[in-house]
């Protein structure tokens, strides 16, 4: 976990619009990624990318974009389209892991159509679009659980717009809560390694498996490991201060990472599941934590 | 309906006469005269019958409302002022206007995200010391029905207010309800303490509240004085839209600048900033001094908008002890020192706001000083409760800025503290607790002598603390409801079967009302109680419910020391009920007059 700087694994996280899109505890996602990297001897550098900053795709290994107030979202949308668009597209096509939450998710789809006024143009990474149906349609607010890769992911959602997927693959299936639009049971969207979701609360602290998955993807991509082909969970290889050369290709990126003591994380995860009546899943989550 | 509005008296001249608050007392108003112009007999008769109809209706509303309140209290459904207001408003939607118009000295409304209760408390104390009869709504009952209730419980069955002479009302009003409240009450002064992010799922976002306020201020009558926080950009910007007088308050003590205090203003001073871009042009503000969050001396580099110069200013703030702040205050007519008996910089703002209103109403200096210095904090705002040889201090924190300021107040001296955090996510708290990730818990790390985490979202908070550097073993986590999966997991382990039975026994012991918990707190130090000795502290699941959490936190606080309790809003209410059940706090909805 220490010393040997030259051999140390390093990842760089680009945090898009940290000053504008920071409404829903997005700091928790960054803290989680940072800490989970540090505990495994990986250095995670966080670089804020504000309005006007260019996005050079080869400088980053991981990107995060959060949600914000409507007032602050419009200049962001413009900047995303005009300044960062090309870099972001290149990064995504090159399989960089990207996590986009709430407003960030909407901005990566085709457009956001408010109840009144003109559409806000998005980047079109996800073949999806968002419509706000006016003040009479209730906001989607509350705890939410989705199933992702056979596991649960929990969070809190709070969005007025409803997102509809075209050909985009959803991140998961809604078990409890509203999801993309409260109609079709989908939540979030995936394109290559870009993940859009409405789940915050923050998302990553209570979902350590998803956090590790993103870190694993970034490591795999940066250190030349084989592209992910399946999501089975073979027994993990331990990565703790080891050099890139020692790594061998694996299928599930999270198996690159040394398991941590995540009992508290999974208890928080299970507490949400139990509130929504998912007792079986809660028990499974705690068992997984004990097994690790 | 006739309105008789007092014109605001802004004190501008030299020092007031020494008779307390004499200058601003207006001639006693008689029966309101008919509007000039309505002269014909028929019109007058019509008006008379209309007035009679309305007062009949008011009387009906008062009688029914109070009957409903009595019934609700009898059935122990609650304090009953909200139900009073609700019923009265249903029968006569204009009941607030009808009754408030009878107040001899009119109304003052206080709104803002943080500090409504304390600010109106300070102001009420000042006005009382000035010899007035002050009527307030019950803390937290800050929607219209709470206001209606507060008026109706003071009304006679005739539909008229009792003892309306010498009376003034000070109402704290929910941010989103302010437009309606202003329309019904036509206040003499409207105070905007600040605007932070709070309960997003209820109000939408900060910007939508700001838009609501701007709209409302444009429609305010010229007779309403606006009292605004100069250091909060969004709040201060309301002044540009006002038609009536505007009075700003603010801090001038530049030694409080965060960047100066904490070296580079970097590590450990994460600030949740809720409005950063210029209300006029959208550029980011530049701060020459920042006191906390977005409070400070700001300027827009693009359009030049800057913080207005405040008329009521704190020139110097010194901390005598934890909760004695010595503040040098300058107003257009006075310069003096006031001791604020509460902790935290936010309370300096609250006091300044109250002083500014008092000045706007023409109150002389003596009651201002005595009102603030002898102020008794409202429940949960730094109030002290003695329990089993320990002191409990309750510090409500319901949003990122509020909690950051409480943490700063608690931990800036580096003294280790005993802490009980209560995080709830009921509707009144806001369902979305993601804001805890924007709170600088890191600054408390290494400074907690004991740490108990409770509430409906105890695990979320514990996790936040873990990521702030606390080891899970340092925390006693006591959620509101049992985590079944965890109990089963413990129960399914070989050693655990016994543990599970123990757990069940423990559960019964901690049931509310099950004598053991009660007596241990009231009587002897808990350590003597065999059943709750260290053996149990070591078990992974120490129970659940706020009563248990309180018990545990007290156990971990040695006799003679202070336990600081930092709850969200409904956590505070629960604690209050719990302490009340043990006979430790005054009854909540006392103080009808």
């Amino acid at each position: 976990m220490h010393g040997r700087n030259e051999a140390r694994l390093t990842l760089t996280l680009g945090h898009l619009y940290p000053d504008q899109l920071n409404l829903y505890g997005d700091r928790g996602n960054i803290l989680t990624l940072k800490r989970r990297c540090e505990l495994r001897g990986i250095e995670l550098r966080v670089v804020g990318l504000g309005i006007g900053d260019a996005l050079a795709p080869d400088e980053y290994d991981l990107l995060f974009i959060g949600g914000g107030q409507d007032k602050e979202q419009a200049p962001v949308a413009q900047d995303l389209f005009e300044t960062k668009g090309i870099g972001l597209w290149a990064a995504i096509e090159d399989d960089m892991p990207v996590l986009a939450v709430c407003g960030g998710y909407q901005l990566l789809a085709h457009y956001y159509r408010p109840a009144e006024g003109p559409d806000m143009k998005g980047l079109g990474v996800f073949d999806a679009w968002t419509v706000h149906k006016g003040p009479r349609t209730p906001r989607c607010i509350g705890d939410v659980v989705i199933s992702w890769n056979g596991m649960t992911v929990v969070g809190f959602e709070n969005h007025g717009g409803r997102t509809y997927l075209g050909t985009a693959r959803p991140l998961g299936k809604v078990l409890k809560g509203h999801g993309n639009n409260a109609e079709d049971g989908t939540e979030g969207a995936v394109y290559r390694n870009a993940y859009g979701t409405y789940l915050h609360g923050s998302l990553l602290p209570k979902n350590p498996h998803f956090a590790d998955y993103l870190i694993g993807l970034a490591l795999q991509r940066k250190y030349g490991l084989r592209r992910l082909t399946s999501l089975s969970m073979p027994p993990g290889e331990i990565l703790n201060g080891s050099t890139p050369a020692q790594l061998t290709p694996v299928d599930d990126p999270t198996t690159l990472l040394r398991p941590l003591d995540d009992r508290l994380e999974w208890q928080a995860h299970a507490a949400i599941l139990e509130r929504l009546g998912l007792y079986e899943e809660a028990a499974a989550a705690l068992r997984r934590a004990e097994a690790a | 309906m006739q309105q008789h509005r007092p014109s605001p008296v802004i004190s501008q001249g030299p020092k007031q006469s020494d008779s307390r608050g004499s200058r601003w007392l207006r001639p006693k108003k008689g029966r309101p005269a008919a509007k000039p112009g309505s002269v014909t007999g028929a019109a007058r008769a019509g008006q008379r019958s209309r007035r009679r109809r309305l007062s009949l209706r008011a009387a009906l509303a008062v009688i029914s409302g109070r009957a409903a309140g009595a019934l609700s209290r009898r059935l122990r459904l609650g304090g009953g002022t909200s139900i009073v207001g609700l019923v009265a408003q249903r029968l006569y939607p204009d009941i607030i206007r009808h009754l408030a118009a009878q107040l001899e000295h009119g109304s003052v409304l206080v709104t803002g995200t943080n500090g409504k209760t304390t600010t109106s408390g300070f102001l009420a104390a000042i006005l009382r010391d000035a010899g007035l009869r002050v009527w307030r709504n019950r803390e937290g009952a800050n929607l219209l029905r709470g206001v209606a209730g507060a008026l109706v419980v003071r009304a006679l069955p005739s539909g008229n207010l009792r003892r309306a002479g010498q009376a003034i009302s000070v109402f704290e009003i929910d941010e989103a309800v302010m437009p309606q409240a202003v329309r019904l009450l036509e206040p003499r002064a409207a105070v905007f303490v600040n605007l932070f992010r709070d309960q997003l799922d209820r109000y939408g976002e900060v910007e939508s509240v700001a838009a609501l306020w701007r709209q409302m201020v444009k429609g305010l009558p010229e007779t309403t004085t606006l009292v605004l926080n100069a250091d909060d950009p969004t709040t201060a910007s309301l002044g540009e839209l006002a038609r009536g007088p505007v009075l700003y308050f603010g801090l001038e003590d530049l030694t409080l600048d965060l960047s100066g205090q904490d070296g580079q203003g970097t590590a450990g001073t994460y600030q949740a900033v809720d409005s950063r871009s210029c209300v006029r042009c959208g550029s980011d503000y530049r701060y020459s001094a920042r006191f906390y969050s977005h409070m400070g001396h700001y300027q827009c580099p693009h359009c030049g908008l800057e913080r207005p110069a405040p008329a009521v200013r704190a020139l110097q703030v010194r901390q005598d002890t934890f909760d004695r702040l010595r503040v040098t205050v300058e107003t257009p007519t006075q310069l003096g020192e006031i001791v604020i008996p509460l902790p935290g910089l936010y309370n300096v703002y609250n006091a300044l706001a109250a002083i500014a209103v008092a000045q706007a109403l023409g109150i002389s200096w003596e009651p201002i000083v005595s009102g603030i210095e002898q102020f008794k904090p409202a429940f949960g705002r730094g109030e002290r409760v003695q329990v089993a040889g320990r002191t409990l201090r309750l510090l409500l924190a319901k949003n990122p800025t509020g909690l950051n300021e409480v943490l700063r107040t608690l931990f800036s001296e580096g003294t280790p503290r005993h802490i009980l955090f209560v995080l709830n996510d009921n509707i009144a708290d806001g369902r979305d607790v993601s804001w805890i990730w924007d709170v600088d818990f890191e600054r408390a790390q290494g400074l907690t002598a004991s740490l108990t985490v409770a509430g409906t979202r105890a695990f979320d908070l514990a996790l936040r603390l873990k990521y702030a550097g606390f080891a899970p073993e340092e925390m006693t986590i006591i959620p509101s409801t049992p985590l079944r999966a965890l109990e089963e997991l413990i129960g399914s382990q070989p050693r655990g079967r016994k543990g599970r039975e123990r757990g069940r026994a423990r559960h019964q012991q901690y049931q509310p009302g099950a004598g053991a918990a009660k007596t241990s707190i009231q009587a002897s130090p808990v350590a003597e109680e065999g059943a709750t000795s260290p053996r149990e502290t070591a078990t992974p699941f120490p129970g659940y419910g706020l009563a248990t959490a309180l018990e545990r936190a007290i156990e971990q606080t040695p006799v003679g020391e202070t336990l600081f309790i930092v709850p969200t809003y409904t956590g505070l209410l629960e604690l209050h009920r719990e302490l009340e059940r043990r006979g430790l706090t005054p009854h909540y909805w006392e103080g009808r007059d």
Side-chain angles (χ1 to χ4, degrees):
Chain A
M1 283 182 93
H2 40 73
R4 292 193 309 168
N5 267 342
E6 68 287 350
R8 202 170 174 200
L9 298 176
T10 309
L11 293 176
T12 306
L13 168 79
H15 184 183
L16 273 69
Y17 311 108
D19 292 341
Q20 288 80 19
L21 304 182
N22 62 354
L23 193 57
Y24 295 112
D26 295 322
R27 188 165 165 255
N29 292 324
I30 308 287
L31 284 178
T32 304
L33 291 171
K34 205 167 163 57
R35 186 182 160 88
R36 299 187 74 81
C37 280
E38 274 165 7
L39 286 172
R40 285 135 167 169
I42 305 164
E43 186 190 353
L44 182 78
R45 293 196 304 127
V46 181
V47 179
L49 289 165
I51 287 180
D53 297 338
L55 197 167
D58 47 357
E59 287 178 15
Y60 306 99
D61 306 304
L62 202 67
L63 294 173
F64 175 78
I65 173 166
Q69 297 197 46
D70 286 347
K71 180 191 171 195
E72 321 225 290
Q73 215 137 303
V76 164
Q78 195 188 356
D79 180 83
L80 188 66
F81 206 78
E82 291 171 359
T83 314
K84 298 195 181 49
I86 293 174
L88 188 56
W89 259 118
I92 290 172
E93 289 295 339
D94 194 27
D95 286 333
M96 189 184 294
V98 178
L99 178 61
V101 176
C102 295
Y105 169 36
Q106 294 173 347
L107 286 169
L108 293 195
H110 291 304
Y111 59 81
Y112 175 86
R113 178 164 297 161
E116 287 166 29
D119 288 1
M120 197 158 67
K121 206 156 39 158
L123 215 52
V125 170
F126 303 122
D127 183 13
W129 57 92
T130 307
V131 180
H132 195 296
K133 295 184 172 170
R136 306 202 58 182
T137 323
R139 284 178 80 85
C140 300
I141 297 178
D143 291 315
V144 50
V145 179
I146 64 171
S147 90
W148 170 78
N149 281 344
M151 291 176 280
T152 45
V153 172
V154 303
F156 192 91
E157 58 181 337
N158 181 1
H159 52 108
R162 315 230 157 179
T163 300
Y164 297 89
L165 303 180
T167 60
R169 199 154 52 83
L171 172 67
K173 188 170 141 278
V174 176
L175 299 180
K176 295 280 172 178
H178 302 92
N180 279 333
N181 47 42
E183 291 163 33
D184 61 15
T186 64
E187 206 294 316
V190 181
Y191 175 73
R192 300 187 84 101
N193 284 337
Y195 296 87
T197 178
Y198 276 120
L199 270 58
H200 63 270
S202 303
L203 171 67
L204 297 182
K206 284 201 292 285
N207 297 291
H209 54 326
F210 192 57
D212 281 357
Y213 181 76
L214 294 173
I215 297 170
L217 281 177
L219 283 175
Q220 224 177 21
R221 178 177 170 276
K222 176 163 187 183
Y223 292 106
L225 299 165
R226 180 149 56 88
R227 190 174 144 67
L228 161 88
T229 50
S230 96
L231 285 168
S232 60
M233 296 264 291
E237 258 175 68
I238 290 170
L239 175 70
N240 188 8
S242 45
T243 58
Q246 290 170 302
L247 298 177
T248 46
V250 285
D251 287 341
D252 181 343
T254 57
T255 58
L256 288 169
L257 301 168
R258 179 169 64 86
L260 301 175
D261 178 0
D262 288 333
R263 279 177 297 179
L264 188 55
E265 280 81 350
W266 287 109
Q267 283 168 19
H269 184 106
I272 303 297
L273 294 174
E274 289 202 353
R275 294 181 124 207
L276 299 172
L278 301 172
Y279 293 99
E280 296 282 308
E281 289 80 353
L286 288 195
R287 277 198 300 274
R288 192 178 306 132
E290 287 295 323
Chain B
M1 187 193 333
Q2 291 296 321
Q3 289 279 333
H4 188 92
R5 279 288 124 207
S7 58
V9 185
I10 308 274
S11 63
Q12 288 149 331
K15 194 177 180 310
Q16 314 282 312
S17 68
D18 54 1
S19 89
R20 305 214 298 179
S22 60
R23 155 125 186 248
W24 76 298
L25 299 178
R26 290 165 300 99
K28 173 98 174 145
K29 117 188 133 172
R31 275 208 89 73
K35 272 192 194 119
S38 60
V39 281
T40 67
R44 204 174 294 150
Q47 206 170 45
R48 217 179 294 132
S49 86
R50 191 175 126 77
R51 196 183 303 144
R52 205 163 36 233
R53 235 181 14 252
L54 286 181
S55 55
L56 260 174
R57 212 166 156 195
L60 182 66
V62 167
I63 293 167
S64 328
R66 296 190 57 173
L71 190 66
S72 144
R73 272 192 299 279
R74 179 65 56 83
L75 297 176
R76 303 208 167 274
L77 294 177
T81 57
S82 279
I83 184 82
V84 173
L86 200 64
V87 170
Q89 268 190 304
R90 184 62 64 82
L91 288 168
Y92 183 17
D94 253 359
I95 186 75
I96 292 180
R97 198 194 299 265
H98 182 95
L99 292 175
Q102 301 170 23
L103 290 164
E104 186 185 343
H105 293 294
S107 305
V108 175
L109 305 187
V110 180
T111 194
T113 314
N114 292 334
K116 290 186 281 286
T117 302
T118 302
T119 302
S120 42
F122 275 136
L123 182 59
I126 292 169
L127 296 173
R128 278 196 193 108
D129 282 1
L132 292 176
R133 194 174 281 147
V134 183
W135 293 356
R136 297 176 61 191
N137 49 340
R138 184 160 65 82
E139 186 245 301
N142 53 18
L143 304 177
L144 286 183
R145 67 178 92 120
V147 173
L151 289 166
V152 168
V153 296
R154 293 173 174 97
L156 297 165
S158 63
N160 289 323
L161 281 181
R162 265 182 295 158
R163 293 180 291 166
Q166 289 289 67
I168 183 166
S169 69
V170 176
F171 291 128
E172 56 162 287
I173 304 288
D174 184 274
E175 300 90 286
V177 175
M178 205 52 190
Q180 294 102 293
V182 159
R183 222 176 321 114
L184 292 170
L185 288 157
E186 293 182 33
R188 296 179 64 194
V191 190
F192 295 80
V193 187
N194 50 45
L195 178 60
F196 295 113
R197 175 153 58 109
D198 185 29
Q199 304 186 13
L200 292 168
D201 49 311
R202 215 171 102 216
Y203 294 145
E205 295 148 359
V206 174
E207 182 47 34
S208 64
V209 174
L212 207 64
W213 283 1
R214 279 194 282 273
Q215 199 56 40
M216 166 197 55
V217 165
K218 283 184 207 157
L220 274 182
E222 285 169 38
T223 50
T224 301
T225 303
L226 269 190
V227 177
L228 304 174
N229 189 336
D231 296 349
D232 178 5
T234 315
T235 304
S237 70
L238 296 174
E240 293 186 347
L241 308 167
R243 294 194 294 155
V246 180
L247 201 56
Y248 293 101
F249 59 91
L251 282 185
E252 298 288 354
D253 186 345
L254 296 180
T255 62
L256 298 169
D257 185 7
L258 275 185
S259 34
Q261 211 172 49
D262 295 298
Q264 291 75 43
T266 47
T269 60
Y270 180 85
Q271 288 287 307
V273 176
D274 302 328
S275 44
R276 57 179 77 237
S277 53
C278 177
V279 285
R280 210 189 278 158
C281 72
S283 315
D284 282 4
Y285 293 117
R286 200 166 288 159
Y287 281 82
S288 58
R290 194 195 284 274
F291 304 127
Y292 64 88
S293 187
H294 51 255
M295 310 290 261
H297 296 188
Y298 52 88
Q299 189 181 22
C300 172
H302 183 72
C303 72
L305 178 90
E306 59 182 347
R307 166 189 185 250
V312 175
R313 325 185 294 155
L315 300 180
Q316 195 185 43
V317 180
R318 273 180 300 144
Q319 187 166 1
D320 279 2
T321 57
F322 174 72
D323 54 3
R324 269 177 70 86
L325 298 171
R326 192 174 291 278
V327 184
T328 310
V329 179
E330 188 183 48
T331 75
T333 56
Q334 288 291 338
L335 175 65
E337 203 175 67
I338 295 186
V339 174
I340 300 175
L342 292 176
L345 201 52
Y346 46 97
N347 280 317
V348 176
Y349 280 111
N350 296 339
L352 288 176
I355 295 168
V357 182
Q359 289 259 311
L361 297 175
I363 302 286
S364 59
W365 188 245
E366 292 79 6
I368 292 180
V369 175
S370 67
I372 287 179
E373 297 198 341
Q374 276 139 51
F375 178 72
K376 299 267 181 304
F379 186 76
R381 273 74 173 185
E383 192 204 31
R384 259 176 244 263
V385 183
Q386 298 298 330
V387 176
R390 289 88 162 169
T391 305
L392 308 189
R393 298 210 63 171
L394 293 120
L395 297 163
L396 171 73
K398 41 186 184 163
N399 45 40
T401 300
L403 190 41
N404 266 336
E405 284 312 290
V406 166
L407 293 178
R408 172 146 72 124
T409 308
L410 286 176
F411 296 106
S412 57
E413 296 159 41
T415 322
R417 310 276 194 197
H418 297 276
I419 303 285
L420 164 60
F421 285 120
V422 184
L423 178 66
N424 278 0
D425 68 343
N426 297 315
I427 289 173
D429 303 298
R431 307 295 316 273
D432 186 351
V433 297
S434 51
W435 58 271
I436 58 173
W437 291 92
D438 290 328
V439 173
D440 186 21
F441 287 104
E442 283 78 2
R443 80 180 317 147
Q445 207 262 315
L447 291 174
T448 49
S450 74
L451 177 57
T452 308
V453 183
T456 55
R457 288 285 193 162
F459 284 112
D460 281 76
L461 186 53
L463 196 52
R464 171 69 190 95
L465 290 166
K466 180 179 172 184
Y467 278 84
F470 290 84
E473 304 77 58
E474 287 179 70
M475 305 178 231
T476 308
I477 305 168
I478 304 185
S480 298
T481 49
L483 186 57
R484 234 202 255 178
L486 184 59
E487 290 197 323
E488 272 161 29
L489 193 76
I490 296 164
S492 69
Q493 283 163 6
R495 179 192 66 85
R497 183 153 297 156
K498 212 178 274 170
R500 193 180 184 182
E501 282 161 18
R502 266 214 323 261
R504 214 173 267 143
R506 202 155 54 237
H507 174 201
Q508 278 161 7
Q509 186 182 345
Y510 285 121
Q511 280 294 318
K518 193 171 175 180
T519 46
S520 71
I521 276 207
Q522 277 176 339
S524 59
V526 189
E528 288 169 23
E529 218 180 292
T532 49
S533 57
R535 181 170 54 97
E536 293 216 344
T537 333
T539 60
F541 203 74
Y544 41 87
L546 195 53
T548 309
L550 183 62
E551 184 98 342
R552 280 312 173 93
I554 290 171
E555 276 171 36
Q556 295 180 34
T557 308
V559 173
E561 295 197 20
T562 303
L563 169 65
F564 291 90
I565 306 181
V566 184
T568 54
Y569 189 68
T570 65
L572 178 67
L573 297 185
E574 264 183 77
L575 279 165
H576 192 281
R577 279 194 296 274
E578 182 56 31
L579 292 172
E580 197 177 84
R581 202 175 59 72
R582 299 171 183 192
L584 291 168
T585 49
H587 205 254
Y588 203 12
W589 32 82
E590 49 134 295
R592 277 166 142 213
D593 224 336

